Amino acid sequence: MKAAGFYAARYIRTEDVAEPEIDEHEVLVKVCHAGICGTDLHEYAADPIFGPARPHSYTGAKAPQILCHEFSGDVVRIGSKVEHVSPGILVSIQPMIAPPDDYHTSRSLPRLSEQVAAIGLSWKSGGMAQYAVNAVPLPRAYRPSMGR
């Protein structure tokens, strides 16, 4: 698939990369719309600020990164333990990622985890690609009513 790889300050290159793999808790999304936010611009202009220079402690992600954490798309495939979405629906991305067994994640506060990561900054994919992986299913407190 095509993706925009961010390597260093002011160095992004469009390249062919492998479609991301998903595990039993993840969702593969075909990106439809992606936005560039201030965080992406700061990363581009000043070299990695949030993106890890060495492998991230939880995700293992490192440069090059596929930027963009503000995007939407269609669910293409879901892991065997995903229950909150199904293939074919349009989704928006919740970019915060932390270990599912983390104290803060279990309390619907993943942003407070010492191992917090973000799609498009310290994760295996981002919205500047044809496909991206949304992380583990959102805790119930984050989910709007799905009519159930």
Side-chain angles (χ1 to χ4, degrees):
M1 71 171 181
K2 294 286 186 196
F6 170 64
Y7 285 80
R10 301 183 185 279
Y11 180 43
I12 294 177
R13 153 173 108 203
T14 302
E15 54 196 357
D16 289 309
V17 298
E19 184 177 297
E21 301 280 328
I22 63 169
D23 72 20
E24 62 190 1
H25 298 284
E26 296 174 333
V27 176
L28 182 66
V29 176
K30 182 178 190 322
V31 178
C32 296
H33 302 281
I36 297 173
C37 83
T39 303
D40 297 319
L41 293 175
H42 290 294
E43 289 288 305
Y44 173 76
D47 219 358
I49 299 168
F50 298 104
R54 359 180 254 284
H56 187 274
S57 62
Y58 170 54
T59 68
K62 60 182 180 171
Q65 282 286 287
I66 300 171
L67 292 177
C68 185
H69 56 271
E70 295 179 355
F71 62 98
S72 63
D74 295 310
V75 174
V76 175
R77 192 167 48 250
I78 62 173
S80 61
K81 295 194 175 176
V82 173
E83 298 176 353
H84 68 291
V85 296
S86 58
I89 68 166
L90 181 65
V91 294
S92 179
I93 302 305
Q94 199 312 341
M96 293 293 175
I97 304 161
D101 58 351
D102 181 88
Y103 172 84
H104 297 291
T105 303
S106 67
R107 286 155 181 79
S108 299
L109 299 167
R111 66 192 173 278
L112 299 179
S113 171
E114 290 182 8
Q115 290 188 297
V116 69
I119 292 173
L121 294 169
S122 47
W123 183 242
K124 59 184 167 183
S125 64
M128 294 294 172
Q130 290 176 291
Y131 294 91
V133 174
N134 191 9
V136 295
L138 299 175
R140 288 248 175 245
Y142 277 168
R143 295 185 210 155
S145 171
M146 305 285 277
R148 295 183 196 177

